[in-house]
Amino acid sequence: MSLAKFLDGKPLYYKEIDYGRIIRAYDTIKGHLKPFKIIHIIGTNGKGSTGRFLAQILSQNGAKVGHYTSPHIFKFNERFWLNGEVASDEILEVAHERLQALLSDEYKIKTSYFEYMTLLSAVLFEGCDYFVCEAGMGGVLDATNVFEKELSIFTPIGFDHTAILGNSLEEISRTKFEAMGKRAILNDEMNKISVAIAREIASEKGATLSFPREILTKENLNEIINYADKFNLPEFLRSNLTLAYAAAKILDSSIDIKKLGALSLRGRCEKIASNLYVDVGHNELGAKAVAKKFSSKEFGGKKLTLIYNSFLDKDFKAVLAALKPVIEGVLLYHYHCEGRELGGELINKALNELEISHREFEPSDMNDIKEAKNGKIYLAFGSFHLAEAFLKEYYASKGL
């Protein structure tokens, strides 16, 4: 059975998860895999771009590198990046066939969609010098925590997935930092509550804890400035690059970013056209980072038209409040995701309470965006599902 058909038989969301299952499943196959060094990336925002920056830095300095990230925007393959390229269908099918041969029937059936992908990444990236592995939504109970870590990287932590991770910053931070390995690095901009908990857990585990400001030299920081200027990075991507570069220096002190190319990852404050940006930040922390970019001198105080929607279980009012200073109005874009419900009238209520002008997205709006003649700047902001649905419609409208 092909990988696509096999995964079609696994639901994306489960009411209950056996958190020990991935450990038992991996134990049955790890002895058959060539070794790799795991770099584990955990946090609320910036995991994907930090991981890809790190993978590109290591790869362009001669290492064999795999990067596992999630979710994807257009195609499943985007979750697996190997030596500078998104994995092909053929490579993924070979890895799937090998994993099927290694796994018992019990684990073929019982592993979740995300668990199976995590095991597939281990097979795909066996023998790499480095396997950059992004956690899903969690930390200590995440499927990716099954691997023994060479280095733990923590991106900024905020509120998201509270029903699973906890209702306070303390609870969420503890859940994530409990996955810490023997060597860890935290983003310089980590909030004080999370830093305190990280230090406590590092002490309990006997782990070494670092920050980029303790690792990078003045020359390194100048390299980051030059890169950020060259590729016009917003501040949050500059911060993620700084974290990735410091992590790379821990792994190889001789490494540099002088030949580093553009970030090869979609949807991170991505400029699609002169009048259109897309960002998959989807939570309050992400919204604040994006608002900071669009309030910069680059945009001269020009307000955006926000293309938005949100799942019912998200704190969309906090997201909209964070974006309010940089938007002139909201176009509510509807999309479908199996097993997830959109905010509906509750989003309308939040917009009314925040006194933000809004209406439903209409076909004529897509034409206005495509033609780029009305002088407006549009930002499509939200989940990967929104980005996928919107961009597919946008490209179809342009005949692409």
Side-chain angles (χ1 to χ4, degrees), residues 92-205:
L92 285 174
E93 285 299 333
V94 169
H96 169 60
E97 289 172 10
R98 179 139 190 261
L99 181 55
Q100 288 285 301
L102 292 174
L103 277 181
S104 67
D105 289 341
E106 175 189 1
Y107 295 125
K108 289 177 192 176
I109 296 168
K110 291 185 177 180
T111 48
S112 70
Y113 184 98
F114 188 72
E115 287 169 345
Y116 190 83
M117 287 193 303
T118 301
L119 296 173
L120 183 69
S121 68
V123 173
L124 182 65
F125 298 146
E126 68 166 327
C128 281
D129 297 309
Y130 299 104
F131 173 1
V132 180
C133 182
E134 177 188 325
M137 70 175 74
V140 69
L141 296 178
D142 196 83
T144 58
N145 196 44
V146 71
F147 303 120
E148 185 175 344
K149 298 168 277 288
E150 179 81 7
L151 177 66
S152 298
I153 301 176
F154 292 95
T155 68
I157 293 174
F159 288 93
D160 202 9
H161 304 291
T162 53
I164 296 171
L165 302 180
N167 292 311
S168 70
L169 201 52
E170 290 86 353
E171 287 182 289
I172 294 170
S173 299
R174 195 165 293 280
T175 297
K176 293 181 183 291
F177 288 125
E178 285 289 353
M180 187 185 298
K182 291 298 183 184
R183 184 73 196 260
I185 182 169
L186 273 63
N187 187 290
D188 278 330
E189 298 172 15
M190 188 74 72
N191 70 82
K192 291 180 180 180
I193 291 173
S194 296
V195 169
I197 292 171
R199 292 190 188 282
E200 175 191 332
I201 291 174
S203 178
E204 292 170 358
K205 289 175 170 280

Side-chain angles (χ1 to χ4, degrees), residues 56-115:
Q56 288 181 222
I57 292 168
L58 294 170
S59 179
Q60 291 179 22
N61 279 271
K64 185 178 180 183
V65 185
H67 179 210
Y68 172 47
T69 185
S70 65
H72 60 272
I73 295 180
F74 292 114
K75 192 175 181 182
F76 174 80
N77 305 49
E78 295 169 24
R79 298 171 182 245
F80 308 91
W81 184 94
L82 180 61
N83 295 327
E85 295 182 352
V86 171
S88 66
D89 291 341
E90 293 75 18
I91 290 174
L92 285 174
E93 285 299 333
V94 169
H96 169 60
E97 289 172 10
R98 179 139 190 261
L99 181 55
Q100 288 285 301
L102 292 174
L103 277 181
S104 67
D105 289 341
E106 175 189 1
Y107 295 125
K108 289 177 192 176
I109 296 168
K110 291 185 177 180
T111 48
S112 70
Y113 184 98
F114 188 72
E115 287 169 345

Side-chain angles (χ1 to χ4, degrees), residues 30-36 98 122 125-128:
K30 65 182 181 182
H32 300 277
L33 303 179
K34 296 175 184 176
F36 38 54
R98 179 139 190 261
F125 298 146
E126 68 166 327
C128 281

Side-chain angles (χ1 to χ4, degrees), residues 2-14:
S2 71
L3 174 60
K5 287 185 178 180
F6 179 78
L7 290 176
D8 279 345
K10 292 185 177 294
L12 287 173
Y13 306 102
Y14 293 77

Side-chain angles (χ1 to χ4, degrees), residues 376-395:
K376 292 185 176 183
I377 298 176
Y378 296 86
L379 168 65
F381 180 89
S383 69
F384 283 79
H385 299 285
L386 181 144
E388 177 186 14
F390 175 79
L391 285 174
K392 281 182 176 178
E393 183 180 350
Y394 172 75
Y395 288 131

